[in-house]
């Protein structure tokens, strides 16, 4: 992530740059090429669930998210997004994703989460299961059967593999790419908006922010810029009186 980037409309920042020279046929076999990533991601997501439980109790008693756990969880989301962007969450690039939790500034898919200095001790009890329920319904439509609450990407690291609107739109784009050599830009922007929504919910569900995800489809490859209280302001958290 560019540390000098303008502040985004939500603490989680998801971006992707569409490759203008995609292979017509490579998307048909990317699932095979990514088997090593899928294996690694299964274990990373198991670890994420375990350490998020630890973070839950740390927030409950101290109001702070342990920085080492936070950085690890961001790394898992980042790895998941790079794999998804290469494969069936976007098909946005043919560059093979790196095996790293760290940020890869030269890779066309980027993700980062702003570290919270303090988190609500009360919200941690309800936000990941009760407050996030409406978003889980929306994400279920976007990502299909691969999303099941907090286990959004634990199956194989790319939730669109379970179906859903993301998978359908990416498949349509793949067919268009196969026959025309071009990825429809409008579909890419729409898919990016759905992926952005999914990852915002994932960050909220894994307790990394108290900012309630907005019910808004921010489309396009670049993250929308916050206008400090205008149309792109972060949605207030329900039950914000909990402390």
């Amino acid at each position: 992530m560019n540390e000098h980037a303008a502040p985004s409309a939500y603490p989680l920042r998801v971006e992707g740059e569409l490759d203008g020279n995609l292979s017509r046929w490579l998307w048909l076999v990317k699932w095979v090429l990514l088997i090593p990533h899928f294996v690694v991601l299964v274990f990373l997501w198991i670890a994420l669930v375990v350490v998020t439980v630890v973070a839950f109790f740390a927030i409950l008693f101290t109001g702070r998210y342990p920085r080492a756990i936070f950085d690890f969880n961001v790394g898992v989301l980042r790895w998941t997004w790079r794999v998804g962007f290469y494969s069936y969450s976007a098909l946005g690039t043919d560059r093979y994703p790196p095996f790293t939790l760290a940020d890869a500034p030269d890779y066309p898919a980027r993700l980062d989460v702003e570290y919270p200095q303090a988190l609500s001790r009360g919200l941690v009890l309800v936000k990941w299961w009760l407050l996030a329920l409406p978003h889980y319904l929306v994400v279920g439509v976007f990502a299909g059967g691969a999303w099941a609450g907090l286990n959004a990407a634990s199956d194989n690291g790319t939730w669109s593999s379970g179906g859903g609107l993301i998978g359908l739109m990416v498949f349509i784009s793949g067919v268009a790419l196969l026959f025309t050599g071009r990825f429809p830009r409008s579909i890419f922007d729409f898919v990016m908006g759905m992926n952005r929504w999914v990852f915002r919910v994932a960050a909220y569900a894994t307790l990394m922010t108290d900012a309630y995800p907005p019910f808004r489809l921010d489309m396009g490859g670049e993250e929308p810029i916050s206008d400090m209280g205008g149309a792109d302001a972060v949605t207030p958290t329900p039950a914000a009186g909990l402390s």
Side-chain angles (χ1 to χ4, degrees), residues 105-150:
D106 61 339
Y107 196 76
R110 301 166 300 279
L111 182 149
D112 202 5
V113 185
E114 179 183 347
Y115 179 72
Q117 296 303 316
L119 291 167
S120 168
R121 301 183 187 189
L123 280 175
V124 75
L125 297 170
V126 296
K127 65 182 183 181
W128 56 274
W129 66 276
L130 179 60
L131 301 183
L133 276 177
H135 277 289
Y136 291 156
L137 297 177
V138 176
V139 168
V141 174
F142 288 167
W147 176 278
L150 187 61

Side-chain angles (χ1 to χ4, degrees), residues 16-19 173 182-192 220-222:
E17 181 180 349
L18 180 61
D19 190 339
S173 298
R182 296 180 62 85
F183 194 111
R185 182 74 202 201
S186 59
I187 295 182
F188 174 78
D189 290 342
F190 180 44
V191 167
M192 282 296 302
E222 295 185 357

Side-chain angles (χ1 to χ4, degrees), residues 79-238:
W79 193 321
T80 302
W81 172 229
R82 286 192 296 246
V83 170
F85 189 77
Y86 172 80
S87 61
Y88 307 111
S89 288
L91 291 180
T93 184
D94 288 340
R95 288 184 57 190
Y96 197 73
F99 285 85
T100 179
L101 295 170
D103 184 31
D106 61 339
Y107 196 76
R110 301 166 300 279
L111 182 149
D112 202 5
V113 185
E114 179 183 347
Y115 179 72
Q117 296 303 316
L119 291 167
S120 168
R121 301 183 187 189
L123 280 175
V124 75
L125 297 170
V126 296
K127 65 182 183 181
W128 56 274
W129 66 276
L130 179 60
L131 301 183
L133 276 177
H135 277 289
Y136 291 156
L137 297 177
V138 176
V139 168
V141 174
F142 288 167
W147 176 278
L150 187 61
N151 299 317
S154 58
D155 292 339
N156 62 11
T158 53
W159 34 62
S160 65
S161 63
L165 190 55
I166 292 176
L168 175 62
M169 299 308 294
V170 170
F171 175 74
I172 292 172
S173 298
V175 173
L177 181 63
L178 185 65
F179 288 101
T180 70
R182 296 180 62 85
F183 194 111
R185 182 74 202 201
S186 59
I187 295 182
F188 174 78
D189 290 342
F190 180 44
V191 167
M192 282 296 302
M194 290 189 286
N195 277 300
R196 189 169 285 121
W197 192 315
V198 169
F199 276 99
R200 287 172 176 174
V201 175
Y204 186 74
T206 52
L207 314 177
M208 289 192 282
T209 179
D210 282 343
Y212 196 69
F215 282 91
R216 185 179 66 237
L217 196 64
D218 290 324
M219 299 191 295
E222 295 185 357
E223 187 75 27
I225 298 173
S226 173
D227 61 4
M228 304 303 291
D232 289 330
V234 173
T235 306
T237 303

